[in-house]
Amino acid sequence: MTATAHRPTSITPLLIPLLVGGLVAIALGVFGRVHTPTGFAVGPAGFSAALPMKVWLTTGAFVLAAVQVITAMSMWGRLGVSIPPAVHRWSGRLAFLLTIPVAFHCLYALGLQYDVPRVLAHSLLGCFFYGLFTTKMLVLPKRGTPGWTLPVIGGLAFTALVCLWITSSFWFFTTIGFKV
């Protein structure tokens, strides 16, 4: 049977991954809100301060997320050129790893902030992104999911990361400049 011969229409296999992803997003938001921010979390090794570190790591994740979209399109036969699936897997792994110190610093040092609309949007998008990422990782090994599952969840994760980049790195570059 080919991959396109039978597309299940049931979303039942998605319920647990969606529930767990939603719980991750909510747990991060609750932790970020109730945790007393320390003001410091991660040493900015190689950077002048924590903010430039976060900006450049997020920019790296943003670039790798674009690689994710291109390689996913190749894997789904949308480009007419074949890119090895390993490029997709490794660009995703590296993008995720780049977000870890950023998220840790944001949650531990700053918490979920709501006094500035841009920062509130950024905080909520961060929680949403990690919820989507969790959902995507739980859906990957599942068989019997609708054909639109990975493109939609992956597209939402990409969109969330782009919006995170806009509300952080783009803001930094246009307001403060290109500091390292």
Side-chain angles (χ1 to χ4, degrees):
M1 177 182 341
T2 66
T4 57
H6 175 62
R7 293 277 188 204
T9 56
S10 173
I11 63 166
T12 304
L14 300 177
L15 293 179
I16 297 297
L18 286 168
L19 178 65
V20 173
L23 290 173
V24 166
I26 290 168
L28 289 172
V30 168
F31 176 81
R33 191 66 205 122
V34 300
H35 168 70
T36 303
T38 64
F40 180 79
V42 178
F47 295 94
S48 59
L51 192 54
M53 175 198 68
K54 290 169 40 178
V55 163
W56 287 105
L57 290 178
T58 302
T59 299
F62 170 71
V63 169
L64 289 167
V67 172
Q68 283 276 284
V69 170
I70 293 165
T71 56
M73 289 174 63
S74 171
M75 290 182 340
W76 288 87
R78 301 288 191 248
L79 291 183
V81 64
S82 179
I83 300 172
V87 175
H88 183 78
R89 287 190 298 273
W90 279 102
S91 62
R93 289 171 182 153
L94 291 173
F96 178 75
L97 287 174
L98 289 178
T99 69
I100 297 297
V102 176
F104 180 74
H105 186 275
C106 289
L107 279 171
Y108 190 73
L110 306 173
L112 192 141
Q113 298 180 11
Y114 57 89
D115 50 342
V116 176
R118 176 190 63 81
V119 178
L120 171 62
H122 182 76
S123 295
L124 295 175
L125 283 164
C127 297
F128 183 63
F129 170 77
Y130 278 98
L132 284 169
F133 180 81
T134 301
T135 302
K136 183 180 178 199
M137 292 301 104
L138 292 173
V139 165
L140 275 174
K142 286 200 173 288
R143 301 290 177 235
T145 58
W148 52 262
T149 303
L150 286 175
V152 168
I153 294 172
L156 286 170
F158 174 75
T159 302
L161 190 58
V162 168
C163 292
L164 280 165
W165 182 82
I166 289 169
T167 58
S168 62
S169 300
F170 180 77
W171 171 85
F172 183 88
F173 293 145
T174 58
T175 305
I176 296 169
F178 288 88
K179 292 184 178 183
V180 179

